[in-house]
Amino acid sequence: MTKVEAVIDELVTANRILAREGIVDSFGHPSIRHPERPDRFFISRARAPDLIEAADIMETNLDGSPADKGDNRKPYLERFIHGAIFEARPEVNAVVHNHSPSVLPFGVTKKKLKPLHHMCGCIGHELPTWDSQTKFGDTSLLVSSMDMGRDLARLLGKRPAALMRGHGCVVAAKDIREAVYIAYYLELGAKLQMQAMQIGGDDVTYLSRGEVDTIIERTGPYSFNRAWENWCRRAGRKMLERPEELVELKG
Amino acid sequence: MTKVEAVIDELVTANRILAREGIVDSFGHPSIRHPERPDRFFISRARAPDLIEAADIMETNLDGSPADKGDNRKPYLERFIHGAIFEARPEVNAVVHNHSPSVLPFGVTKKKLKPLHHMCGCIGHELPTWDSQTKFGDTSLLVSSMDMGRDLARLLGKRPAALMRGHGCVVAAKDIREAVYIAYYLELGAKLQMQAMQIGGDDVTYLSRGEVDTIIERTGPYSFNRAWENWCRRAGRKMLERPEELVELKG
Amino acid sequence: MTKVEAVIDELVTANRILAREGIVDSFGHPSIRHPERPDRFFISRARAPDLIEAADIMETNLDGSPADKGDNRKPYLERFIHGAIFEARPEVNAVVHNHSPSVLPFGVTKKKLKPLHHMCGCIGHELPTWDSQTKFGDTSLLVSSMDMGRDLARLLGKRPAALMRGHGCVVAAKDIREAVYIAYYLELGAKLQMQAMQIGGDDVTYLSRGEVDTIIERTGPYSFNRAWENWCRRAGRKMLERPEELVELKG
Amino acid sequence: MTKVEAVIDELVTANRILAREGIVDSFGHPSIRHPERPDRFFISRARAPDLIEAADIMETNLDGSPADKGDNRKPYLERFIHGAIFEARPEVNAVVHNHSPSVLPFGVTKKKLKPLHHMCGCIGHELPTWDSQTKFGDTSLLVSSMDMGRDLARLLGKRPAALMRGHGCVVAAKDIREAVYIAYYLELGAKLQMQAMQIGGDDVTYLSRGEVDTIIERTGPYSFNRAWENWCRRAGRKMLERPEELVELKG
């Protein structure tokens, strides 16, 4: 298995896991940067995540055009989310965009999504919200150009995740396993926060800044791989033993 | 496969999808207008949606009587919902009636169901609520006559969807795939709105009028078919490649 | 198949359906009155509902003692719930006792459980709450004697269902299919009411008295059997064609 | 099957049940004290609970070091939770540590988790909350030393369960079946309490002290085994007939 084949296999697995765990339904998409050509990334053609096979994966330039000009399969309209983040952040090798249900409410209210559970420290201190309305006015809310993608990437900054008003969220990480892990615990964290606010109102104890920093510092392959192994089984996917040269994980 | 056979196959699939995705339980029903006889529609005999086979589908006149007078299978009592909407709206080719759980609360409170998520823009700007009590007094709430059906159709007007107080909702669309899509995202949108109101009270940002208009304008087979392919697999149904003459989709 | 064999088969099916639909977990139990000996009823030995086979069913006197004195299988401690209701209400042929999760909150708050959805009209106008503490003081809350069972039966009166504080609920009906149907829509109705109160506070429109009366009047085998057929398939049980002499359904 | 083999088999089953019932996801872990060497306990190597096989179980000293010094499999970082509780409480033979979702909100608000449902009396009168911040400051919240484990064990005292702020909970019992039972009904009880508070605010009737005492007194193998048999089937595990010498259950 070549490095590129391994990346494509991981990307198929990521799609199936995100579907199986309820992070995506028929919409939403993960991507992985090309391991040898940092100006390209892999992402599926426009298709529901749980149906994706290796043959659906497209090699794409950062500007969203197909790497192979003859490739006329229908891409995701929102591939610009991925391209713009890969362009802005060289250390990022995987992106997930999704609309998981507990995350949405935090993008349309003034309540800030913050981690209160140690498993969710990976989402960062507090999620900012990108609103397409601010610069682009009345749209379908879809990130349909590099211009919009870059605006979103600027708001995201160096953070692991950001909300998108009336739309969902985006996660950026060094590795696809970490990105899926963050997307999963972002959904759980949002659900827990809604429950905590329901019984505690504004009197909820969130993780301290120092706790979040410590958690991010210490969370690495030990955690990502334990979850990945579990999710692979649930999604009916073989877990790939990762060749060292492919891995770019902390810890 | 004839055009009518294709329509019946789509209708069976719609029933199974609605059941699999939790939009209907043992009750609720989709219908499709006859592709060659606009004064008729197809709908199952009275049976739970997840059990329906092609042999259960009945051809029905708009007034709710069976097209074949000798057909004495037991029809749904509420077939008048479908007939009255097909009668009032020539551009509508598919109707779904259901009681999905998140939708119910909006029919019995003063809170208006409005889209806050771009996937739910398809439900329209705001759903009106039909109350059988207003004109018909104390009933079982079932739409058991053309008189009741027409009253509901008037309230629905040109909209894609309306609520029914203490009962559920109705969706009307140009195509069964669109109708199922709207019914699915209506349930999701209601759930998201309840969650957003729980943490934000009345301070929730809904989609703007212009955003809803743009979303409705731009949502077409690209989206409906992506979801349909996913739902077919989940429901264990083969997705029908749609002959052009059958399709009546926007975009 | 004899009448008794048919009743036992129905009771096994009821157990499996209640488990599959989340109305019971490892605890809770349905029963059916003996079709030929109204002073006896059938109920499983103490076992989780989803595991029950015909061989687990015990024939029991109304006072909770085994009909066969040599039958020393372990019965449910709470069989007195069933015996006392069958004793008090000759028209009742089936009882369900369960702790489904949405029902519990209404037994421990001052909020009254009332139907707001037409499918839930079958639960009656408003559920009373039996509190074991009132007469029996600090107990394990289990109905462990005929004395407790009769006290509960008195509170239930002629109603289809009652809540039990800190414990669950009880449903009584003419027929097991109706009893399971009421237990299912009682759970759904409680969930819907919690959701409606969450967004509407006390400003929720419930069904009117006349609507509830009409719904109860008109709900019969047409509805019970449609749901039963669906639930049988989901629970992996063959639906029994019901010999007329066995049926005691309205409508 | 030796006593030790039986214990290991029970521990594998406990892991699978906790995963199947949603009490753990990829993280969380049960343990059982060694039946012949009270200074040791069994716990899996670091792996997601639903994947665990007998070969994954490690024999561990109370201080968290492997009983076999040559055993260099990766243990759970938080094995100190188990060791410290076994050290402090000779009557405890099983511990469960988990982060089930309804439990979390009670650890980060001032609302006290208390039983309102008779099935949940087993969790005790009221759960105290351990906060790692108090003594250990900004950490990853993980119990990563005997020092932290002992601090948690002190807070737990003689109780069956305690919350951990921003982290989850811990359960201690005489037997693994009882520990799993408590962990399951702790999650359910927390969910029910959130629902009850949603509709009733602070006006919720909890079980009285006498009721909780009676329930704990009377809950024994009759209940634990009924649930265990059900959960074994759901998790695809064979239920072990328990040799008398292995059992240490009340009642």
Side-chain angles (χ1 to χ4, degrees), chain A residues 116-119 184-185 192 195-196 198-199 203-205 208 210-211 214-215 222-223 226-227 229-230 233, chain D residues 25-27 47-48 50-51 74-77 101 108 110-111 133 138-139 141-142 165-167 194 198:
Chain A
L116 59 80
H117 179 22
H118 77 97
M119 296 301 302
Y184 176 91
Y185 283 105
L192 295 176
Q195 291 176 345
Q198 182 188 310
I199 64 170
D203 194 6
V204 171
T205 304
S208 73
E211 286 172 342
T214 308
I215 288 166
Y222 173 82
S223 298
R226 196 193 313 174
E229 186 189 18
N230 190 36
R233 186 194 50 73
Chain D
D25 60 357
S26 304
F27 300 89
R47 200 174 194 199
D50 208 20
L51 301 171
K74 190 125 194 159
Y76 291 122
L77 184 59
V108 296
K110 300 213 171 66
K111 304 298 178 185
Q133 182 69 237
D138 281 344
T139 66
L141 279 83
L142 299 175
R165 193 267 307 166
H167 187 152
M194 284 195 290
Q198 183 187 310

Side-chain angles (χ1 to χ4, degrees), chain B residues 17 32 54 99 120 137 141 155 158 162 170-171 176 186 193 245:
Chain B
I17 287 173
I32 304 181
H99 325 140
C120 306
L141 280 83
L155 184 279
K158 290 295 174 196
V170 67
V171 169
I176 187 65
L186 179 54
Q193 186 174 346
E245 67 272 20

Side-chain angles (χ1 to χ4, degrees), chain C residues 19 25-29 45-51 74-78 97 99-111 131-133 137-142 144 165-168 193-195 197-198, chain D residues 21 116-120 181 184-185 188 191-201 203-216 218-219 222-234 239:
Chain C
D25 60 357
S26 304
F27 299 89
H29 22 78
R45 68 178 176 98
R47 200 176 194 195
D50 207 21
L51 302 171
K74 190 125 194 162
Y76 291 122
L77 184 59
E78 297 197 293
H97 166 59
H99 326 139
S100 65
S102 304
V103 163
L104 259 291
F106 290 93
V108 296
T109 59
K110 301 213 170 66
K111 304 298 178 184
D131 189 340
S132 55
Q133 182 70 237
D138 281 344
T139 66
S140 67
L141 280 81
L142 299 175
S144 54
R165 192 268 307 165
H167 187 153
Q193 185 174 345
M194 283 196 289
Q195 290 176 344
M197 292 172 74
Q198 183 187 309
Chain D
E21 302 303 327
L116 58 80
H117 178 21
H118 76 98
M119 296 301 302
C120 306
Y181 182 95
Y184 176 91
Y185 283 105
L188 179 64
K191 184 183 163 196
L192 294 175
Q193 186 174 345
M194 284 195 290
Q195 291 176 344
M197 291 172 75
Q198 183 187 310
I199 64 170
D203 193 6
V204 171
T205 304
Y206 296 92
L207 298 182
S208 73
R209 285 200 72 81
E211 286 172 341
V212 173
D213 289 337
T214 308
I215 288 167
I216 290 179
R218 304 223 176 139
T219 307
Y222 173 84
S223 298
F224 306 145
N225 288 337
R226 196 193 312 173
W228 194 260
E229 186 189 17
N230 190 37
W231 291 330
C232 280
R233 186 196 49 74
R234 289 166 57 92
M239 183 174 178

Side-chain angles (χ1 to χ4, degrees), chain A residues 106-121:
Chain A
F106 289 93
V108 297
T109 58
K110 300 212 170 67
K111 304 297 177 184
K112 292 297 183 185
L113 180 44
K114 295 183 288 190
L116 59 80
H117 179 22
H118 77 97
M119 296 301 302
C120 306

Side-chain angles (χ1 to χ4, degrees), chain B residues 52-91:
Chain B
I52 287 167
E53 307 281 354
D56 294 314
I57 305 300
M58 295 176 73
E59 192 172 327
T60 307
N61 296 314
L62 293 194
D63 68 3
S65 60
D68 170 359
K69 286 183 187 178
D71 187 349
N72 49 20
R73 290 176 290 171
K74 190 127 194 155
Y76 290 122
L77 185 59
E78 298 198 294
R79 60 201 179 276
F80 307 106
I81 295 173
H82 304 263
I85 293 173
F86 287 130
E87 182 186 81
R89 294 179 57 179
E91 88 287 7

Side-chain angles (χ1 to χ4, degrees), chain B residues 10-221:
Chain B
E10 285 278 280
L11 187 53
V12 171
T13 298
N15 271 285
R16 304 294 187 84
I17 287 173
L18 291 167
R20 175 65 180 79
E21 302 302 327
I23 307 305
V24 297
D25 60 356
S26 305
F27 299 88
H29 23 77
S31 65
I32 304 181
R33 193 192 291 271
H34 194 301
E36 287 153 349
R37 300 255 340 224
D39 57 333
R40 293 184 177 174
F41 63 99
F42 292 101
I43 191 168
S44 173
R45 69 178 175 97
R47 200 175 196 199
D50 207 21
L51 301 171
I52 287 167
E53 307 281 354
D56 294 314
I57 305 300
M58 295 176 73
E59 192 172 327
T60 307
N61 296 314
L62 293 194
D63 68 3
S65 60
D68 170 359
K69 286 183 187 178
D71 187 349
N72 49 20
R73 290 176 290 171
K74 190 127 194 155
Y76 290 122
L77 185 59
E78 298 198 294
R79 60 201 179 276
F80 307 106
I81 295 173
H82 304 263
I85 293 173
F86 287 130
E87 182 186 81
R89 294 179 57 179
E91 88 287 7
V92 161
N93 293 310
V95 171
V96 173
H97 166 59
N98 68 275
H99 325 140
S100 64
S102 303
V103 163
L104 259 291
F106 290 93
V108 296
T109 59
K110 301 214 169 65
K111 304 298 177 184
K112 291 298 183 184
L113 180 44
K114 295 183 287 189
L116 58 80
H117 179 21
H118 76 97
M119 295 302 301
C120 306
C122 60
I123 67 173
H125 294 96
E126 183 180 295
L127 274 75
T129 300
W130 180 74
D131 189 340
S132 55
Q133 182 69 237
T134 312
K135 271 215 183 146
F136 303 92
D138 282 344
T139 66
S140 67
L141 280 83
L142 299 176
V143 179
S144 53
S145 68
M146 278 307 280
D147 207 21
M148 292 182 82
R150 284 173 183 142
D151 193 56
L152 168 60
R154 262 190 299 277
L155 184 279
L156 174 64
K158 290 295 174 196
R159 296 181 188 85
L163 301 177
M164 301 162 76
R165 193 269 305 166
H167 187 152
C169 60
V170 67
V171 169
K174 293 184 74 172
D175 179 270
I176 187 65
R177 295 185 186 185
E178 181 176 6
V180 169
Y181 183 96
I182 295 173
Y184 176 91
Y185 283 105
L186 179 54
E187 168 63 15
L188 179 63
K191 185 184 163 194
L192 294 176
Q193 186 174 346
M194 284 196 288
Q195 290 177 345
M197 292 172 73
Q198 182 188 310
I199 63 170
D202 289 333
D203 192 6
V204 171
T205 304
Y206 296 92
L207 298 182
S208 73
R209 285 200 71 82
E211 287 172 342
V212 173
D213 290 337
T214 307
I215 288 166
I216 290 179
E217 174 67 28
R218 305 223 176 139
T219 307

